[in-house]
Coordinates of all heavy atoms in Angstrom, one line a residue:
M1 N -36.1 -29.7 45.1 CA -35.3 -29.4 43.9 C -36.1 -28.5 42.9 O -37.3 -28.7 42.8 CB -34.9 -30.7 43.2 CG -34.1 -30.6 41.9 SD -33.6 -32.1 41.2 CE -35.2 -32.8 40.7
I2 N -35.4 -27.6 42.2 CA -36.0 -26.8 41.2 C -35.3 -26.9 39.9 O -34.1 -27.4 39.9 CB -36.1 -25.3 41.7 CG1 -34.7 -24.7 41.9 CG2 -37.0 -25.2 42.9 CD1 -34.1 -24.0 40.8
T3 N -35.9 -26.5 38.8 CA -35.3 -26.5 37.5 C -35.2 -25.0 37.1 O -36.2 -24.3 37.1 CB -36.2 -27.3 36.5 OG1 -36.3 -28.6 37.0 CG2 -35.5 -27.3 35.1
F4 N -34.0 -24.6 36.6 CA -33.8 -23.3 36.1 C -33.6 -23.5 34.6 O -32.8 -24.2 34.1 CB -32.6 -22.6 36.7 CG -32.3 -21.3 36.1 CD1 -33.2 -20.2 36.2 CD2 -31.1 -21.0 35.5 CE1 -33.0 -19.0 35.7 CE2 -30.8 -19.8 34.9 CZ -31.8 -18.7 35.1
L5 N -34.5 -22.8 33.8 CA -34.5 -22.9 32.4 C -34.1 -21.5 31.8 O -34.7 -20.5 32.2 CB -35.9 -23.2 31.8 CG -36.0 -23.5 30.4 CD1 -35.4 -24.8 30.0 CD2 -37.4 -23.4 30.0
N6 N -33.0 -21.5 31.0 CA -32.5 -20.2 30.5 C -32.3 -20.4 29.0 O -31.6 -21.3 28.5 CB -31.1 -19.9 31.2 CG -30.8 -18.5 31.1 OD1 -31.5 -17.7 30.5 ND2 -29.6 -18.1 31.6
R7 N -33.0 -19.6 28.2 CA -32.9 -19.6 26.8 C -32.0 -18.5 26.3 O -32.2 -17.3 26.7 CB -34.3 -19.4 26.1 CG -34.3 -19.4 24.6 CD -35.6 -19.4 24.0 NE -36.3 -20.6 24.2 CZ -36.1 -21.7 23.4 NH1 -35.2 -21.7 22.5 NH2 -36.8 -22.8 23.7
F8 N -31.1 -18.8 25.4 CA -30.2 -17.8 24.9 C -30.4 -17.7 23.4 O -30.5 -18.7 22.7 CB -28.7 -18.3 25.1 CG -28.3 -18.4 26.5 CD1 -28.4 -19.7 27.2 CD2 -27.8 -17.4 27.2 CE1 -28.0 -19.8 28.5 CE2 -27.4 -17.5 28.5 CZ -27.5 -18.7 29.2
T9 N -30.4 -16.5 22.9 CA -30.4 -16.2 21.5 C -29.1 -15.4 21.1 O -28.8 -14.4 21.7 CB -31.6 -15.3 21.1 OG1 -32.8 -16.0 21.5 CG2 -31.6 -15.0 19.6
L10 N -28.3 -16.1 20.3 CA -26.9 -15.5 20.1 C -27.0 -14.2 19.3 O -27.8 -14.1 18.3 CB -26.1 -16.6 19.3 CG -25.7 -17.8 20.0 CD1 -24.7 -18.6 19.2 CD2 -25.2 -17.6 21.4
T11 N -26.1 -13.4 19.7 CA -25.8 -12.1 18.9 C -24.3 -12.1 18.5 O -23.9 -11.2 17.8 CB -26.1 -10.9 19.8 OG1 -25.3 -11.0 21.0 CG2 -27.6 -10.8 20.1
G12 N -23.6 -13.2 18.9 CA -22.2 -13.3 18.6 C -21.8 -14.7 18.1 O -22.7 -15.5 17.8
D13 N -20.5 -15.0 18.1 CA -20.0 -16.3 17.6 C -20.4 -17.4 18.5 O -20.2 -17.4 19.7 CB -18.5 -16.1 17.5 CG -17.9 -17.4 17.0 OD1 -18.0 -17.7 15.8 OD2 -17.2 -18.1 17.8
P14 N -20.9 -18.6 18.0 CA -21.3 -19.7 18.8 C -20.1 -20.3 19.6 O -20.3 -20.6 20.8 CB -21.8 -20.7 17.8 CG -22.2 -19.9 16.6 CD -21.3 -18.8 16.6
E15 N -18.9 -20.4 19.0 CA -17.8 -21.0 19.7 C -17.4 -20.1 20.9 O -17.1 -20.6 22.0 CB -16.6 -21.2 18.8 CG -16.8 -22.4 17.9 CD -15.6 -22.6 17.0 OE1 -14.5 -22.3 17.4 OE2 -15.8 -23.2 15.9
E16 N -17.4 -18.8 20.7 CA -17.1 -17.8 21.8 C -18.1 -17.9 22.9 O -17.8 -17.9 24.1 CB -17.0 -16.4 21.3 CG -15.8 -16.1 20.4 CD -15.8 -14.6 20.0 OE1 -16.1 -13.8 20.8 OE2 -15.4 -14.4 18.8
F17 N -19.4 -18.0 22.5 CA -20.5 -18.2 23.5 C -20.3 -19.4 24.3 O -20.4 -19.4 25.5 CB -21.9 -18.2 22.8 CG -23.0 -18.5 23.7 CD1 -23.4 -17.6 24.7 CD2 -23.5 -19.8 23.7 CE1 -24.4 -17.9 25.6 CE2 -24.5 -20.1 24.6 CZ -25.0 -19.2 25.6
E18 N -20.1 -20.5 23.7 CA -19.9 -21.8 24.4 C -18.7 -21.7 25.4 O -18.8 -22.2 26.5 CB -19.8 -23.0 23.4 CG -21.1 -23.3 22.7 CD -21.0 -24.4 21.8 OE1 -20.1 -25.3 21.9 OE2 -21.9 -24.5 20.9
K19 N -17.7 -21.1 24.9 CA -16.5 -20.9 25.8 C -16.9 -20.0 27.0 O -16.6 -20.3 28.2 CB -15.3 -20.3 25.1 CG -14.1 -20.1 25.9 CD -13.0 -19.4 25.1 CE -11.8 -19.2 26.0 NZ -10.8 -18.4 25.4
A20 N -17.6 -18.9 26.7 CA -18.0 -18.0 27.8 C -19.0 -18.7 28.8 O -18.9 -18.5 30.0 CB -18.6 -16.7 27.2
F21 N -19.9 -19.5 28.2 CA -20.8 -20.3 29.0 C -20.0 -21.2 29.9 O -20.3 -21.3 31.1 CB -21.8 -21.0 28.2 CG -22.8 -21.8 29.0 CD1 -24.0 -21.2 29.4 CD2 -22.5 -23.1 29.5 CE1 -24.9 -21.9 30.2 CE2 -23.4 -23.8 30.3 CZ -24.6 -23.2 30.6
D22 N -19.1 -21.9 29.4 CA -18.3 -22.9 30.1 C -17.6 -22.2 31.3 O -17.5 -22.8 32.4 CB -17.3 -23.7 29.2 CG -16.7 -24.9 29.9 OD1 -17.4 -25.6 30.6 OD2 -15.5 -25.1 29.7
E23 N -17.0 -21.0 31.0 CA -16.3 -20.3 32.1 C -17.3 -19.9 33.2 O -16.9 -20.0 34.4 CB -15.6 -19.1 31.5 CG -14.4 -19.6 30.6 CD -13.7 -18.4 29.9 OE1 -14.2 -17.3 30.0 OE2 -12.8 -18.7 29.1
T24 N -18.5 -19.4 32.8 CA -19.5 -19.0 33.8 C -19.9 -20.3 34.6 O -20.1 -20.2 35.8 CB -20.7 -18.3 33.1 OG1 -20.2 -17.2 32.4 CG2 -21.7 -17.9 34.1
A25 N -20.1 -21.4 33.9 CA -20.6 -22.6 34.5 C -19.5 -23.1 35.5 O -19.9 -23.7 36.5 CB -20.9 -23.7 33.4
A26 N -18.3 -22.9 35.2 CA -17.2 -23.4 36.1 C -17.4 -22.6 37.4 O -17.2 -23.2 38.5 CB -15.8 -23.1 35.5
F27 N -17.7 -21.3 37.4 CA -17.9 -20.6 38.6 C -19.2 -21.1 39.3 O -19.1 -21.4 40.6 CB -18.2 -19.1 38.3 CG -18.7 -18.3 39.4 CD1 -17.9 -17.9 40.5 CD2 -20.1 -18.0 39.4 CE1 -18.4 -17.2 41.5 CE2 -20.6 -17.3 40.5 CZ -19.8 -16.9 41.5
L28 N -20.2 -21.4 38.6 CA -21.5 -21.9 39.2 C -21.3 -23.3 39.8 O -21.9 -23.6 40.8 CB -22.6 -21.9 38.2 CG -23.1 -20.5 37.8 CD1 -24.1 -20.5 36.7 CD2 -23.7 -19.7 39.0
R29 N -20.5 -24.1 39.2 CA -20.2 -25.5 39.8 C -19.6 -25.4 41.2 O -19.7 -26.3 41.9 CB -19.3 -26.3 38.8 CG -20.0 -26.7 37.6 CD -19.2 -27.8 36.8 NE -17.9 -27.3 36.4 CZ -17.6 -26.7 35.2 NH1 -18.6 -26.6 34.3 NH2 -16.4 -26.3 34.9
E30 N -19.0 -24.3 41.5 CA -18.4 -24.1 42.8 C -19.4 -23.6 43.9 O -19.1 -23.5 45.0 CB -17.2 -23.2 42.7 CG -16.1 -23.7 41.9 CD -14.9 -22.7 41.7 OE1 -15.0 -21.5 42.3 OE2 -14.0 -23.0 41.0
Q31 N -20.6 -23.2 43.4 CA -21.6 -22.6 44.3 C -22.4 -23.7 44.9 O -22.8 -24.7 44.3 CB -22.5 -21.6 43.6 CG -21.7 -20.5 42.9 CD -20.7 -19.8 43.8 OE1 -21.1 -19.3 44.8 NE2 -19.5 -19.8 43.4
P32 N -22.8 -23.6 46.2 CA -23.6 -24.6 46.9 C -25.0 -24.7 46.2 O -25.6 -23.7 45.8 CB -23.8 -24.1 48.3 CG -22.8 -23.0 48.4 CD -22.4 -22.5 47.1
G33 N -25.4 -25.9 46.0 CA -26.8 -26.2 45.5 C -26.9 -26.6 44.1 O -28.0 -27.1 43.7
L34 N -25.9 -26.4 43.3 CA -26.0 -26.8 41.9 C -25.9 -28.3 41.8 O -25.0 -28.9 42.3 CB -25.0 -26.2 41.0 CG -25.0 -26.6 39.5 CD1 -26.3 -26.2 38.8 CD2 -23.8 -26.0 38.8
I35 N -26.9 -28.9 41.1 CA -26.9 -30.4 41.0 C -26.4 -30.8 39.6 O -25.5 -31.7 39.5 CB -28.3 -31.0 41.2 CG1 -28.8 -30.6 42.7 CG2 -28.4 -32.5 40.9 CD1 -30.2 -30.9 42.9
Q36 N -26.9 -30.2 38.6 CA -26.6 -30.6 37.2 C -27.0 -29.5 36.3 O -28.0 -28.7 36.6 CB -27.4 -31.9 36.9 CG -27.3 -32.3 35.5 CD -28.2 -33.5 35.2 OE1 -28.7 -34.2 36.2 NE2 -28.5 -33.8 34.0
Y37 N -26.4 -29.4 35.1 CA -26.9 -28.5 34.1 C -26.6 -29.1 32.7 O -25.7 -30.0 32.6 CB -26.3 -27.1 34.1 CG -24.8 -27.0 33.8 CD1 -24.3 -26.9 32.5 CD2 -23.9 -27.1 34.8 CE1 -23.0 -26.9 32.2 CE2 -22.5 -27.1 34.6 CZ -22.1 -27.0 33.3 OH -20.7 -27.0 33.0
T38 N -27.3 -28.7 31.7 CA -27.1 -29.2 30.3 C -27.3 -28.0 29.4 O -28.4 -27.4 29.4 CB -28.1 -30.3 29.9 OG1 -27.9 -31.4 30.8 CG2 -27.8 -30.8 28.5
L39 N -26.3 -27.6 28.6 CA -26.5 -26.6 27.6 C -26.7 -27.3 26.3 O -25.9 -28.2 25.9 CB -25.2 -25.7 27.5 CG -25.3 -24.6 26.4 CD1 -26.3 -23.6 26.8 CD2 -23.9 -24.0 26.2
S40 N -27.8 -27.0 25.6 CA -28.1 -27.6 24.3 C -28.4 -26.6 23.3 O -28.9 -25.5 23.6 CB -29.4 -28.5 24.5 OG -29.2 -29.5 25.4
R41 N -28.0 -26.9 22.0 CA -28.1 -26.0 20.9 C -29.3 -26.5 20.0 O -29.3 -27.7 19.7 CB -26.8 -26.0 20.1 CG -26.8 -25.0 19.0 CD -25.4 -24.9 18.4 NE -25.2 -23.9 17.4 CZ -24.1 -23.8 16.7 NH1 -23.1 -24.6 16.8 NH2 -24.1 -22.8 15.8
Q42 N -30.1 -25.6 19.6 CA -31.3 -26.1 18.8 C -30.8 -26.5 17.4 O -30.0 -25.8 16.8 CB -32.3 -24.9 18.7 CG -33.6 -25.3 18.0 CD -34.6 -24.2 18.0 OE1 -34.6 -23.3 18.9 NE2 -35.5 -24.2 17.1
L43 N -31.3 -27.7 17.0 CA -30.9 -28.2 15.7 C -31.3 -27.4 14.5 O -30.5 -27.2 13.6 CB -31.5 -29.6 15.5 CG -30.8 -30.7 16.3 CD1 -31.6 -32.1 16.1 CD2 -29.4 -30.9 16.0
D44 N -32.5 -26.9 14.5 CA -33.0 -26.1 13.4 C -32.7 -24.6 13.5 O -33.0 -23.9 12.5 CB -34.5 -26.3 13.2 CG -34.9 -27.8 13.0 OD1 -34.0 -28.5 12.3 OD2 -36.0 -28.2 13.4
D45 N -32.1 -24.2 14.6 CA -31.8 -22.7 14.7 C -30.5 -22.7 15.5 O -30.5 -22.6 16.7 CB -32.9 -22.0 15.4 CG -32.7 -20.5 15.6 OD1 -31.6 -20.0 15.1 OD2 -33.5 -19.8 16.2
P46 N -29.4 -22.7 14.9 CA -28.1 -22.8 15.6 C -27.8 -21.5 16.4 O -26.8 -21.5 17.2 CB -27.0 -23.0 14.5 CG -27.7 -22.7 13.2 CD -29.2 -22.8 13.4
A47 N -28.6 -20.5 16.3 CA -28.4 -19.3 17.1 C -29.2 -19.4 18.4 O -29.2 -18.5 19.2 CB -28.8 -18.0 16.4
S48 N -29.8 -20.5 18.7 CA -30.7 -20.7 19.8 C -30.2 -21.8 20.7 O -29.9 -22.9 20.3 CB -32.1 -21.0 19.4 OG -33.0 -21.1 20.5
Y49 N -30.0 -21.5 22.0 CA -29.5 -22.4 23.0 C -30.4 -22.4 24.2 O -31.2 -21.5 24.4 CB -28.1 -22.0 23.5 CG -26.9 -22.2 22.6 CD1 -26.7 -21.4 21.6 CD2 -26.1 -23.3 22.9 CE1 -25.6 -21.6 20.7 CE2 -24.9 -23.5 22.0 CZ -24.7 -22.6 21.0 OH -23.6 -22.8 20.2
I50 N -30.4 -23.5 24.9 CA -31.2 -23.6 26.1 C -30.3 -24.3 27.2 O -29.6 -25.2 26.9 CB -32.5 -24.4 25.9 CG1 -33.4 -24.1 27.1 CG2 -32.3 -25.8 25.7 CD1 -34.9 -24.5 26.9
N51 N -30.3 -23.7 28.4 CA -29.6 -24.3 29.5 C -30.7 -24.8 30.5 O -31.6 -24.1 30.9 CB -28.7 -23.3 30.2 CG -28.1 -23.9 31.5 OD1 -27.7 -25.0 31.5 ND2 -28.1 -23.0 32.5
I52 N -30.6 -26.1 30.9 CA -31.5 -26.7 31.9 C -30.6 -27.0 33.1 O -29.8 -27.9 32.9 CB -32.3 -27.9 31.3 CG1 -33.1 -27.5 30.1 CG2 -33.2 -28.5 32.4 CD1 -33.7 -28.6 29.4
A53 N -30.9 -26.4 34.2 CA -30.1 -26.6 35.4 C -31.0 -27.0 36.5 O -32.0 -26.5 36.8 CB -29.3 -25.3 35.8
L54 N -30.5 -28.0 37.3 CA -31.2 -28.5 38.5 C -30.4 -27.9 39.7 O -29.2 -28.1 39.8 CB -31.2 -30.0 38.5 CG -31.9 -30.7 37.3 CD1 -31.8 -32.2 37.5 CD2 -33.3 -30.3 37.2
W55 N -31.2 -27.4 40.6 CA -30.6 -26.8 41.8 C -31.4 -27.4 43.0 O -32.5 -27.7 42.9 CB -30.8 -25.3 41.8 CG -29.8 -24.6 40.9 CD1 -30.0 -24.4 39.5 CD2 -28.6 -23.9 41.2 NE1 -28.9 -23.7 39.0 CE2 -28.0 -23.4 40.1 CE3 -27.9 -23.8 42.5 CZ2 -26.8 -22.7 40.1 CZ3 -26.7 -23.1 42.4 CH2 -26.2 -22.6 41.3
E56 N -30.7 -27.4 44.1 CA -31.3 -27.9 45.3 C -32.5 -27.1 45.7 O -33.5 -27.6 46.3 CB -30.3 -28.0 46.5 CG -29.3 -29.1 46.3 CD -28.2 -29.1 47.4 OE1 -28.3 -28.2 48.3 OE2 -27.3 -29.9 47.3
S57 N -32.5 -25.8 45.5 CA -33.6 -24.9 45.9 C -33.5 -23.6 45.1 O -32.4 -23.2 44.6 CB -33.5 -24.6 47.4 OG -32.4 -23.8 47.7
A58 N -34.6 -22.8 45.1 CA -34.6 -21.5 44.4 C -33.6 -20.6 45.2 O -33.0 -19.7 44.6 CB -36.0 -21.0 44.4
D59 N -33.6 -20.7 46.5 CA -32.7 -19.9 47.3 C -31.2 -20.1 47.0 O -30.5 -19.2 46.9 CB -32.9 -20.1 48.8 CG -34.2 -19.6 49.3 OD1 -34.8 -18.7 48.6 OD2 -34.7 -20.0 50.4
A60 N -30.8 -21.4 46.7 CA -29.5 -21.7 46.3 C -29.1 -21.0 45.0 O -28.1 -20.4 44.8 CB -29.2 -23.2 46.3
L61 N -30.0 -21.1 44.0 CA -29.8 -20.5 42.7 C -29.7 -19.0 42.9 O -28.8 -18.3 42.3 CB -31.0 -20.8 41.8 CG -31.1 -20.0 40.5 CD1 -29.8 -20.2 39.6 CD2 -32.3 -20.3 39.7
R62 N -30.7 -18.4 43.6 CA -30.7 -16.9 43.8 C -29.4 -16.4 44.5 O -28.8 -15.4 44.1 CB -31.9 -16.5 44.5 CG -33.2 -16.6 43.7 CD -34.4 -16.2 44.4 NE -35.6 -16.3 43.6 CZ -36.6 -17.0 43.9 NH1 -36.7 -17.7 45.0 NH2 -37.7 -17.1 43.1
A63 N -28.9 -17.2 45.4 CA -27.7 -16.8 46.1 C -26.5 -16.9 45.1 O -25.6 -16.0 45.2 CB -27.4 -17.8 47.3
A64 N -26.4 -17.9 44.3 CA -25.4 -18.0 43.3 C -25.4 -16.8 42.3 O -24.3 -16.2 42.0 CB -25.4 -19.3 42.6
L65 N -26.6 -16.5 41.9 CA -26.7 -15.4 40.9 C -26.4 -14.0 41.6 O -26.1 -13.1 40.9 CB -28.1 -15.4 40.3 CG -28.4 -16.6 39.4 CD1 -29.8 -16.5 38.9 CD2 -27.4 -16.9 38.4
A66 N -26.7 -13.9 42.9 CA -26.4 -12.7 43.6 C -25.0 -12.6 44.1 O -24.6 -11.5 44.6 CB -27.4 -12.6 44.8
H67 N -24.2 -13.6 43.9 CA -22.8 -13.6 44.4 C -22.1 -12.4 43.7 O -22.3 -12.2 42.6 CB -22.1 -14.9 44.0 CG -20.8 -15.1 44.6 ND1 -19.7 -14.4 44.2 CD2 -20.4 -15.9 45.7 CE1 -18.6 -14.8 45.0 NE2 -19.1 -15.7 45.8
P68 N -21.3 -11.7 44.5 CA -20.6 -10.5 43.9 C -19.7 -10.8 42.7 O -19.5 -9.9 41.9 CB -19.7 -10.0 45.1 CG -20.2 -10.7 46.3 CD -21.0 -11.9 45.9
D69 N -19.2 -12.0 42.6 CA -18.4 -12.4 41.4 C -19.1 -12.9 40.2 O -18.6 -13.0 39.1 CB -17.3 -13.4 41.9 CG -16.4 -12.9 42.9 OD1 -16.1 -11.7 42.9 OD2 -15.8 -13.7 43.6
F70 N -20.4 -13.1 40.4 CA -21.2 -13.7 39.2 C -21.2 -12.8 38.0 O -21.0 -13.2 36.9 CB -22.6 -14.1 39.6 CG -23.4 -14.6 38.5 CD1 -23.2 -15.8 37.9 CD2 -24.4 -13.8 37.9 CE1 -23.9 -16.3 36.9 CE2 -25.1 -14.3 36.8 CZ -24.9 -15.5 36.3
G71 N -21.4 -11.5 38.2 CA -21.5 -10.6 37.1 C -20.3 -10.5 36.3 O -20.3 -10.5 35.0
N72 N -19.1 -10.6 36.9 CA -17.8 -10.7 36.1 C -17.8 -11.9 35.3 O -17.3 -11.9 34.2 CB -16.6 -10.7 37.1 CG -16.5 -9.3 37.8 OD1 -17.0 -8.3 37.3 ND2 -15.9 -9.4 39.0
H73 N -18.3 -13.1 35.8 CA -18.2 -14.3 35.0 C -19.2 -14.3 33.9 O -18.9 -14.9 32.8 CB -18.5 -15.5 36.0 CG -17.4 -15.8 36.9 ND1 -16.3 -16.5 36.5 CD2 -17.2 -15.4 38.2 CE1 -15.4 -16.6 37.5 NE2 -16.0 -15.9 38.5
A74 N -20.4 -13.7 34.1 CA -21.4 -13.7 33.1 C -21.3 -12.6 32.0 O -22.0 -12.6 31.0 CB -22.8 -13.6 33.7
K75 N -20.4 -11.6 32.3 CA -20.3 -10.5 31.4 C -20.0 -10.9 29.9 O -20.6 -10.4 29.0 CB -19.2 -9.5 31.9 CG -19.1 -8.3 31.1 CD -18.0 -7.4 31.8 CE -17.9 -6.0 31.0 NZ -16.9 -5.1 31.6
A76 N -19.0 -11.8 29.7 CA -18.7 -12.2 28.3 C -19.9 -12.9 27.7 O -20.2 -12.6 26.5 CB -17.5 -13.1 28.3
M77 N -20.6 -13.7 28.4 CA -21.8 -14.4 27.9 C -22.9 -13.3 27.4 O -23.5 -13.5 26.4 CB -22.4 -15.3 28.9 CG -22.6 -16.7 28.5 SD -23.2 -17.8 29.7 CE -24.0 -16.8 31.0
R78 N -23.1 -12.3 28.3 CA -24.1 -11.3 28.0 C -23.7 -10.5 26.7 O -24.6 -10.0 26.1 CB -24.3 -10.4 29.2 CG -24.9 -11.1 30.3 CD -25.1 -10.2 31.5 NE -25.7 -10.9 32.6 CZ -25.4 -10.8 33.9 NH1 -24.4 -10.0 34.2 NH2 -26.0 -11.5 34.8
G79 N -22.5 -10.4 26.4 CA -22.0 -9.7 25.2 C -22.2 -10.5 24.0 O -22.1 -10.0 22.9
L80 N -22.5 -11.8 24.1 CA -22.7 -12.7 23.0 C -24.1 -13.2 22.7 O -24.4 -13.9 21.7 CB -21.7 -13.9 23.1 CG -20.2 -13.5 23.1 CD1 -19.4 -14.7 23.7 CD2 -19.8 -13.1 21.8
A81 N -25.0 -13.0 23.7 CA -26.3 -13.6 23.6 C -27.3 -12.8 24.5 O -26.9 -12.2 25.5 CB -26.3 -15.0 24.0
E82 N -28.5 -12.8 24.1 CA -29.6 -12.3 24.9 C -30.2 -13.5 25.6 O -30.2 -14.6 25.0 CB -30.7 -11.6 24.0 CG -30.2 -10.4 23.3 CD -31.2 -9.7 22.4 OE1 -32.3 -10.3 22.2 OE2 -30.9 -8.7 21.8
S83 N -30.7 -13.3 26.8 CA -31.2 -14.5 27.5 C -32.5 -14.1 28.3 O -32.7 -13.0 28.7 CB -30.2 -15.1 28.4 OG -29.9 -14.2 29.5
T84 N -33.3 -15.2 28.5 CA -34.4 -15.1 29.4 C -34.4 -16.4 30.2 O -34.1 -17.5 29.7 CB -35.8 -15.0 28.6 OG1 -35.9 -16.1 27.8 CG2 -35.9 -13.7 27.8
G85 N -34.7 -16.2 31.5 CA -34.7 -17.4 32.4 C -35.9 -17.4 33.3 O -36.6 -16.4 33.5
A86 N -36.2 -18.6 33.8 CA -37.3 -18.8 34.7 C -37.0 -20.0 35.6 O -36.3 -21.0 35.2 CB -38.6 -19.0 34.0
I87 N -37.6 -20.0 36.8 CA -37.5 -21.1 37.7 C -38.8 -21.9 37.8 O -39.8 -21.4 37.8 CB -37.2 -20.6 39.2 CG1 -35.9 -19.8 39.2 CG2 -37.1 -21.7 40.2 CD1 -35.6 -19.0 40.5
F88 N -38.6 -23.3 37.7 CA -39.8 -24.2 37.7 C -39.7 -25.2 38.8 O -38.6 -25.6 39.2 CB -39.8 -24.9 36.3 CG -40.0 -24.0 35.1 CD1 -38.9 -23.4 34.5 CD2 -41.3 -23.8 34.6 CE1 -39.1 -22.6 33.4 CE2 -41.4 -23.0 33.5 CZ -40.3 -22.4 32.9
N89 N -40.9 -25.6 39.3 CA -41.0 -26.7 40.3 C -41.4 -27.9 39.5 O -42.3 -27.9 38.7 CB -42.1 -26.4 41.3 CG -41.7 -25.5 42.4 OD1 -40.5 -25.6 42.9 ND2 -42.6 -24.6 42.8
P90 N -40.7 -29.0 39.7 CA -41.0 -30.3 39.0 C -42.4 -30.7 39.4 O -42.8 -30.6 40.5 CB -40.0 -31.3 39.5 CG -38.9 -30.5 40.0 CD -39.5 -29.2 40.5
R91 N -43.2 -31.2 38.4 CA -44.5 -31.7 38.7 C -44.7 -33.2 38.3 O -45.2 -33.9 39.1 CB -45.6 -30.9 37.9 CG -45.5 -29.4 38.1 CD -45.4 -28.9 39.6 NE -46.7 -29.0 40.2 CZ -46.9 -28.9 41.5 NH1 -45.9 -28.8 42.3 NH2 -48.1 -28.9 42.0
L92 N -44.2 -33.5 37.1 CA -44.3 -34.9 36.7 C -43.0 -35.3 36.1 O -42.2 -34.5 35.6 CB -45.4 -35.1 35.6 CG -46.8 -34.7 36.0 CD1 -47.7 -34.7 34.7 CD2 -47.3 -35.7 37.0
S93 N -42.6 -36.6 36.2 CA -41.3 -37.0 35.8 C -41.4 -38.4 35.2 O -42.3 -39.2 35.6 CB -40.3 -37.0 36.9 OG -39.0 -37.4 36.5
F94 N -40.5 -38.8 34.3 CA -40.4 -40.1 33.7 C -39.0 -40.5 33.6 O -38.1 -39.7 33.1 CB -41.1 -40.1 32.4 CG -40.8 -41.4 31.6 CD1 -41.5 -42.6 31.9 CD2 -39.9 -41.4 30.6 CE1 -41.3 -43.7 31.2 CE2 -39.6 -42.6 29.9 CZ -40.3 -43.8 30.2
E95 N -38.7 -41.7 33.9 CA -37.3 -42.2 33.7 C -37.5 -43.6 33.0 O -38.2 -44.5 33.5 CB -36.6 -42.3 35.0 CG -35.1 -42.7 34.8 CD -34.3 -42.6 36.1 OE1 -34.6 -41.7 36.9 OE2 -33.4 -43.5 36.3
A96 N -36.8 -43.8 31.9 CA -36.9 -45.1 31.2 C -36.2 -46.2 32.0 O -35.2 -45.9 32.6 CB -36.3 -45.0 29.8
S97 N -36.8 -47.4 31.9 CA -36.2 -48.5 32.7 C -35.0 -49.0 31.9 O -34.9 -48.9 30.7 CB -37.2 -49.6 32.9 OG -37.5 -50.2 31.7
A98 N -34.1 -49.7 32.5 CA -32.9 -50.3 31.9 C -33.2 -51.6 31.2 O -32.4 -52.1 30.6 CB -31.8 -50.4 33.0
E99 N -34.4 -52.1 31.4 CA -34.8 -53.4 30.9 C -35.0 -53.3 29.3 O -35.5 -52.3 28.9 CB -36.1 -53.9 31.5 CG -36.0 -54.2 33.0 CD -37.3 -54.6 33.6 OE1 -38.2 -55.1 32.8 OE2 -37.4 -54.5 34.8
A100 N -34.6 -54.3 28.6 CA -34.7 -54.3 27.2 C -36.1 -54.7 26.7 O -36.8 -55.3 27.3 CB -33.7 -55.2 26.5

């Protein structure tokens, strides 16, 4: 499993960006290998978002991003935000226990 981290800095309307992200994410949910993603907005800087996505492998992520239809889905998002992304390998993890 890998983690894809993508930071967005808005250049457009937040509601439009979230809608465009959701439409792009709908396409990615249909691609093999996506496990989970979370889009979060920074509390102290509402023009800053981060997407944390878990994929089965870097190859699965790269195949989804290279899909011929991906560019059409991401076009609206790119018009509303600048982004930088990177792929990470998990090294350490923690999960809280359910015990009180």
Side-chain angles (χ1 to χ4, degrees):
M1 179 176 67
I2 59 96
T3 302
F4 178 62
L5 185 75
N6 200 2
R7 177 173 292 279
F8 297 95
T9 303
L10 294 191
T11 57
D13 179 72
E15 287 183 26
E16 288 182 42
F17 170 75
E18 289 180 19
K19 181 181 175 189
F21 181 92
D22 193 40
E23 290 172 1
T24 302
F27 167 78
L28 290 172
R29 286 192 299 268
E30 297 175 359
Q31 305 309 305
L34 178 62
I35 299 168
Q36 173 187 343
Y37 68 86
T38 302
L39 178 67
S40 298
R41 188 175 184 184
Q42 187 173 335
L43 287 176
D44 297 331
D45 181 4
S48 182
Y49 285 77
I50 194 162
N51 174 43
I52 301 170
L54 302 179
W55 285 81
E56 290 177 1
S57 68
D59 288 341
L61 168 62
R62 289 182 179 121
L65 299 179
H67 191 286
D69 294 334
F70 176 73
N72 293 333
H73 289 279
K75 186 176 182 179
M77 230 176 26
R78 290 181 180 138
L80 297 165
E82 297 174 356
S83 69
T84 57
I87 300 172
F88 296 86
N89 280 322
R91 306 311 281 167
L92 300 171
S93 180
F94 169 79
E95 187 172 325
S97 72
E99 296 177 21

